């Protein structure tokens, strides 16, 4: 069973690298610099304005990383930032119309890519894979948080 677990971890890393490669191509096609920028646009598109802290927690990156990524997206006209009205220490982040358009372009192109990628799977297999990966993410988050303390 140990070998199966090692194979799973190796294949997840391999899949992650390949997804990063495919994702880089998709974001480059719409003029973004990284897959992480796509994730930020997507989170704001789905959830509306968020604080920098919320973005940091949801994307599992450091405060320094999110600050730099948000700054670059702001400079390129995809995001806007402002002080929270109730707490001036909190920076809020929202999409501009350009950011919304870029994300919608990515939804379209990634949808086409996903159809090709997952064409060989049944709906049931996709649901099982999704559930298994979600479970793995929860366990890894718990382990990660346990090591911080």
């Amino acid at each position: 069973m140990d070998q199966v677990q090692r194979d799973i971890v190796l294949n997840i890393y391999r899949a992650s690298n390949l997804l990063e490669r495919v994702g880089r191509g998709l974001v480059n096609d719409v003029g973004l610099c990284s897959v992480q920028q796509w994730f930020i646009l997507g989170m704001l598109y789905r959830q509306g304005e968020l604080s920098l802290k919320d973005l940091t927690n949801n994307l599992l990156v450091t405060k320094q990383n999110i600050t730099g990524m948000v700054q670059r997206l702001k400079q390129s006209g995809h995001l806007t930032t402002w002080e929270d009205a109730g707490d001036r220490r909190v920076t809020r982040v929202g999409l501009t119309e350009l950011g919304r358009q870029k994300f919608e372009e990515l939804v379209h192109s990634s949808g086409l890519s996903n159809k090709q990628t997952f064409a060989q799977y049944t709906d049931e297999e996709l649901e099982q894979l999704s559930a298994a990966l979600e479970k793995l993410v929860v366990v890894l988050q718990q382990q990660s948080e346990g090591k911080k303390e």
Side-chain angles (χ1 to χ4, degrees):
M1 193 52 87
D2 287 346
Q3 185 59 46
V4 171
Q5 293 170 345
R6 284 191 293 272
D7 288 347
I8 289 170
V9 170
L10 177 61
N11 282 321
I12 288 172
Y13 275 118
R14 292 172 67 208
S16 176
N17 288 336
L18 291 166
L19 283 168
E20 175 75 22
R21 188 180 304 165
V22 169
R24 254 192 328 266
L26 294 170
V27 298
N28 287 337
D29 288 346
V30 299
L32 294 178
C33 298
S34 71
V35 174
Q36 290 77 18
Q37 288 183 335
W38 178 6
F39 295 160
I40 292 170
L41 296 180
M43 189 167 296
L44 293 167
Y45 186 90
R46 287 185 294 280
Q47 297 182 28
E49 67 182 53
L50 294 169
S51 69
L52 278 177
K53 183 178 181 180
D54 290 337
L55 282 172
T56 299
N57 293 338
N58 287 324
L59 292 173
L60 304 174
V61 297
T62 65
K63 182 179 178 185
Q64 292 80 7
N65 284 347
I66 200 70
T67 300
M69 287 187 282
V70 165
Q71 200 55 32
R72 284 185 290 282
L73 284 166
K74 182 178 176 182
Q75 288 171 348
S76 63
H78 296 93
L79 298 181
T80 184
T81 62
W82 64 96
E83 287 181 357
D84 187 275
D87 187 346
R88 294 178 51 190
R89 297 171 296 173
V90 175
T91 299
R92 309 286 302 169
V93 183
L95 284 178
T96 63
E97 186 55 36
L98 177 62
R100 190 174 321 285
Q101 289 171 0
K102 291 293 181 181
F103 181 74
E104 289 171 356
E105 287 177 47
L106 283 164
V107 167
H108 176 72
S109 60
S110 67
L112 297 173
S113 177
N114 287 345
K115 282 183 183 175
Q116 182 180 12
T117 300
F118 296 111
Q120 65 184 344
Y121 294 92
T122 66
D123 289 347
E124 183 179 341
E125 287 173 325
L126 288 173
E127 288 174 17
Q128 290 171 348
L129 178 59
S130 179
L133 289 172
E134 181 65 32
K135 189 175 182 179
L136 178 62
V137 167
V138 168
V139 170
L140 290 170
Q141 280 180 312
Q142 290 170 346
Q143 287 179 353
S144 174
E145 291 167 3
K147 289 184 179 184
K148 287 182 192 174
E149 298 169 358

